[in-house]
Amino acid sequence: MQASQARVHIMHADAVMTAGLRTILAEAAEFQISTGAGQHGAQVIVADYEAGIAAARQGPQDRFGPAPRVLIVTQLDKEWEVRMAMDSGVHGYLLQNCQPEELVKAVRSLMQGMRYLSESVTRCVADSLSRETLTGRETDVLQLLAKGCCNKSIARELGIGVGTVKTHVKGLMSKLDATARTHAVVVATQRGLIGPGQRISGALHNRPAFHSNALQ
């Protein structure tokens, strides 16, 4: 092993993706690649969405050393999915259809202490920062609207008054620039703000500072 090689650990749930990631990164002689359960000593972890978030939240395994930097490679591209990962402490986010050169570039960026987002993900986050974010309660109401609940049902479910529900509906419709309740659900679905069984009220409150592909 060359002294300058960076230690990269791949922990992707998809075996085919793992093989592809390993092959691409191995061709760049600057990386020492490992896979499997053990990640001790890794400087960068390349992972799927769930494993990446878990690794970012876990922190350093060695209390005397820094935590590995985490790069997620996934097909998940919804606004709330990206923001959830960023809020969890992930350092980089790539989509699975990225070019091999971009994967290598992303790992290098993380090794240099920078963060990295693919171009399409950067646009997604930048667009979300230009919009008013929904409050936690507005998100709860929106989720119930998507399930077809009426104002009385929403009020009963959330333990609030019907008038308060109407206020939240009016607020979320304004923020989503929607003309009707069903339109609000359509817009939110297109933006990835709601999904089956998802509660995302905490995913959009904090705004991570990602404004370009590679950032200090």
Side-chain angles (χ1 to χ4, degrees), residues 64-85:
F64 299 107
R69 298 174 69 78
V70 179
L71 172 67
I72 284 179
V73 181
T74 181
Q75 61 184 355
L76 303 178
D77 61 354
K78 298 298 185 183
E79 178 181 321
W80 76 268
E81 292 166 332
V82 177
R83 296 290 294 275
M84 179 69 77

Side-chain angles (χ1 to χ4, degrees), residues 7-11 39 42-47 51-52 55 68-72 110:
R7 292 178 296 241
V8 179
H9 185 75
I10 301 172
M11 45 189 298
Q39 63 189 57
Q43 296 163 279
V44 172
I45 291 175
V46 181
R69 298 174 69 78
V70 179
L71 172 67
I72 284 179
L110 267 62

Side-chain angles (χ1 to χ4, degrees), residues 97-137:
N97 61 357
C98 70
Q99 294 298 312
E101 296 80 9
E102 187 172 23
L103 172 64
V104 174
K105 181 181 178 181
V107 173
R108 285 174 181 161
S109 295
L110 267 62
M111 286 300 307
Q112 295 168 5
M114 297 186 290
R115 301 181 185 269
Y116 192 94
L117 293 181
S118 61
E119 183 177 349
S120 58
V121 172
T122 300
R123 287 197 301 268
C124 171
V125 174
D127 288 346
S128 73
L129 294 178
S130 67
R131 307 185 185 107
E132 286 188 88
T133 57
L134 302 182
T135 66
R137 187 56 85 189

Side-chain angles (χ1 to χ4, degrees), residues 17 29 36 50 59 125 134 141 157-158 169 174 187 198 205 216:
M17 280 297 301
E50 292 186 3
V125 174
L134 302 182
V141 170
E157 179 73 20
L158 299 180
V169 171
S174 175
V187 172
Q198 299 287 352
H205 295 331
Q216 201 69 36

